[in-house]
Amino acid sequence: MTAPPAPLTVDEFAPRLAGATVIDVRTPGEYGSGHIPGAFNVPLDRLDEALPSLRTAAEQSELVVVCASGARSGAASSRLAGEGITAASLDGGTDSWSGSGHALDRPEGARAVWPMERQVRLAAGSLVLLGILLDLAVPGARVLSFLIGAGLVFSALSNTCGMAAVLSKLPHNRRRSGDGGLDATLSRLSARAAGTS
């Protein structure tokens, strides 16, 4: 397996944006809340479907993957490296990009969606609290809190997140109807790589 390249800082990446192909691996809802100008949305859980298009894009220009903080894009960069596709991750993701004063594109009519990490914290915290409160009425219900805690430990050790995978399926994190979905994104990506867009 080839090691992925070192993550790029915003200062390293900003002057190279025009010549790079940027792949945003967040959910469509997060992407719609604001993304790096020109970025293509290929959610992390659909990355395997996009491998042929991403391979072609990487042959034509520098490929950079991005998410909200750099965690998911780091995983995507490693996954792509395992397939022989060179793609750097943006250190700090869109949070660092916008925090450094760079603009994010927001499609008209898109509503703000919390970053996945924040959604996971809300869901996990709510379930832990629910387990503790339920235990007052149903002895033993605190096992729910134990299971959530164990899941969070496993998530940290394995650098995966089952809760994020489940939350990404919720309607607010899915594509809006009429945007063409992943197939339309891959067509635009292929057209760009062919130099026709």
Side-chain angles (χ1 to χ4, degrees), residues 82-172:
E83 294 294 325
I85 301 170
T86 301
S89 173
L90 179 62
D91 190 32
T94 54
D95 291 345
S96 288
W97 179 261
S98 63
S100 296
H102 298 285
L104 295 174
D105 280 351
R106 289 184 174 85
E108 192 170 320
R111 67 178 195 275
V113 174
W114 284 358
M116 187 57 64
E117 292 86 355
R118 187 174 180 190
Q119 292 181 50
V120 167
R121 289 193 309 265
L122 175 67
S126 297
L127 289 171
V128 167
L129 184 59
L130 178 65
I132 292 169
L133 292 176
L134 274 177
D135 192 62
L136 298 174
V138 181
R142 69 176 169 247
V143 73
L144 175 63
S145 300
F146 171 80
L147 292 173
I148 296 299
L152 291 171
V153 169
F154 176 78
S155 174
L157 293 174
S158 65
N159 199 25
T160 61
C161 188
M163 188 175 290
V166 170
L167 291 173
S168 71
K169 306 294 184 208
L170 294 176
H172 66 273

Side-chain angles (χ1 to χ4, degrees), residues 4-8 16 62-66 73 77 80 85-90:
L8 297 171
R16 295 155 51 177
E62 179 180 23
L63 192 62
V64 178
V65 288
V66 63
S73 61
S77 180
L80 292 171
I85 301 170
T86 301
S89 173
L90 179 62

